[in-house]
C-alpha cells in the first residue's frame, strides 16, 4: 500500500459501481433538461470525469475552483479562485463535489451560483461526512455516493497538502502523516 495510507476505505471497483448508479439516477431525473454539471476543483477531478462519462443525457460541463482547506482542517473562509464560463441563467445546474464536510464550501458555491439565477440547483457529492457539518449549515446534498465516518480521506482526487490525489482508491490517511 501507498506510504501513509492506513487502510483502503473505498476500493476502485466499489467507487466505479456506485458512480455508475449515481449517473444513471441523475440521467433519469434530468431527462430532456440539458443539465449543466459544475465541478468544484480540484478534489472533484476524478469523480467528475468518471461520472459524466456515464451520463446518458445531453449535458454541458464546467468547473469552478475555490480554496477553503489547509492541511486536514477547514480554514474557515472560502475564496473563489476560478469562475465558471457558462451562462447558467435559466439552466438546470448540478454541482459535483468530492466531499461534503463542514459544509462551508458547498454553502459558498450554492449562494454564489444562485445569484446567477439558474432554473434549478442540486448537489451531487461523492462522499458525505455528516458528523463534521457545522450547525448553521442546513444545506442537504441531493445525491450522495457514500456516507463516511469522520476520518480524513485521500485519493481519487482528494489530497493532503496536494499529495495523494493520484491514488485510484479512497484511503484513510495515517494520523502520523499530519500529527
Ligand atoms: P467543507 O467546506 O468543510 O465542507 O470542505 C469541503 C472541501 O474540503 C472538500 O471539497 C474537500 O476538497 C476538502 N475536504 C474535506 N474533507 C476532506 C478529507 O477528508 N480529505 C481531503 N479533503 C477533504
Ligand atoms: Mg471539493
Amino acid at each position: 500500500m501507498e506510504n501513509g495510507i492506513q487502510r483502503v476505505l473505498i476500493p476502485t471497483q466499489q467507487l466505479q459501481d456506485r458512480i455508475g448508479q449515481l449517473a444513471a439516477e441523475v440521467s433519469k431525473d434530468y431527462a430532456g433538461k440539458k443539465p449543466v454539471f459544475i465541478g468544484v476543483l480540484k478534489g472533484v477531478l476524478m469523480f467528475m470525469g468518471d461520472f459524466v462519462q456515464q451520463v446518458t443525457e445531453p449535458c454541458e460541463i464546467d468547473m469552478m475552483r475555490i480554496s477553503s482547506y489547509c492541511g486536514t482542517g477547514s480554514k474557515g473562509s472560502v475564496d473563489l479562485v476560478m469562475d465558471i464560463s457558462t451562462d447558467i441563467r435559466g439552466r438546470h445546474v448540478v454541482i459535483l463535489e468530492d466531499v461534503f464536510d463542514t459544509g462551508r464550501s458547498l454553502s459558498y458555491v450554492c449562494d454564489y451560483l444562485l445569484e446567477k439565477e439558474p432554473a434549478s440547483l442540486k448537489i451531487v457529492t461523492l462522499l458525505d461526512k455528516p458528523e463534521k457539518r457545522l450547525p448553521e449549515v442546513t444545506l442537504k446534498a441531493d445525491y450522495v455516493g457514500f456516507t463516511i465516518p469522520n476520518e480524513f480521506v485521500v485519493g481519487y482526487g482528494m489530497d493532503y497538502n496536494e499529495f495523494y490525489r493520484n491514488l485510484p482508491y479512497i484511503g484513510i490517511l495515517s494520523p502520523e502523516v499530519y500529527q
Side-chain angles (χ1 to χ4, degrees), residues 2-177:
E2 214 71 26
N3 252 350
I5 302 298
Q6 193 173 63
R7 67 181 176 91
V8 175
L9 182 66
I10 311 173
T12 308
Q13 193 55 54
Q14 201 181 336
L15 280 169
Q16 295 304 327
D17 291 349
R18 182 69 186 120
I19 292 166
Q21 291 169 352
L22 281 176
E25 206 184 322
V26 171
S27 298
K28 188 164 146 266
D29 293 351
Y30 282 83
K33 291 187 170 171
K34 297 196 170 65
V36 184
F37 293 107
I38 298 181
V40 186
L41 290 172
K42 303 176 191 172
V44 81
L45 196 63
M46 316 287 185
F47 171 47
M48 185 167 198
D50 287 338
F51 176 88
V52 296
Q53 285 180 76
Q54 299 194 67
V55 168
T56 53
E57 284 293 310
C59 60
E60 288 184 48
I61 62 175
D62 206 338
M63 314 278 216
M64 60 189 283
R65 189 165 156 215
I66 56 171
S67 77
S68 66
Y69 228 74
C70 211
T72 60
S74 251
K75 90 175 178 207
S77 68
V78 181
D79 304 308
L80 181 67
V81 178
M82 187 187 93
D83 202 352
I84 54 169
S85 58
T86 311
D87 180 6
I88 60 166
R89 182 183 300 264
R91 301 292 303 274
H92 294 284
V93 173
V94 181
I95 299 168
L96 300 179
E97 170 67 305
D98 52 354
V99 41
F100 188 10
D101 193 41
T102 63
R104 270 196 201 99
S105 313
L106 274 175
S107 299
Y108 174 89
V109 169
C110 281
D111 289 348
Y112 180 77
L113 295 177
L114 281 172
E115 278 181 24
K116 297 178 185 281
E117 301 181 344
S120 68
L121 184 65
K122 289 203 173 178
I123 299 167
V124 181
T125 186
L126 178 61
L127 306 179
D128 188 9
K129 277 197 229 172
E131 288 167 50
K132 282 282 291 290
R133 203 84 77 249
L134 293 171
E136 65 265 29
V137 175
T138 52
L139 200 66
K140 296 266 181 300
D142 301 281
Y143 304 86
V144 174
F146 301 90
T147 300
I148 63 164
N150 183 12
E151 307 246 31
F152 195 80
V153 294
V154 292
Y156 198 66
M158 286 168 286
D159 72 308
Y160 171 66
N161 287 347
E162 295 301 327
F163 283 88
Y164 301 102
R165 292 192 196 274
N166 57 313
L167 302 182
Y169 56 84
I170 293 175
I172 295 180
L173 193 63
S174 308
E176 300 89 84
V177 176

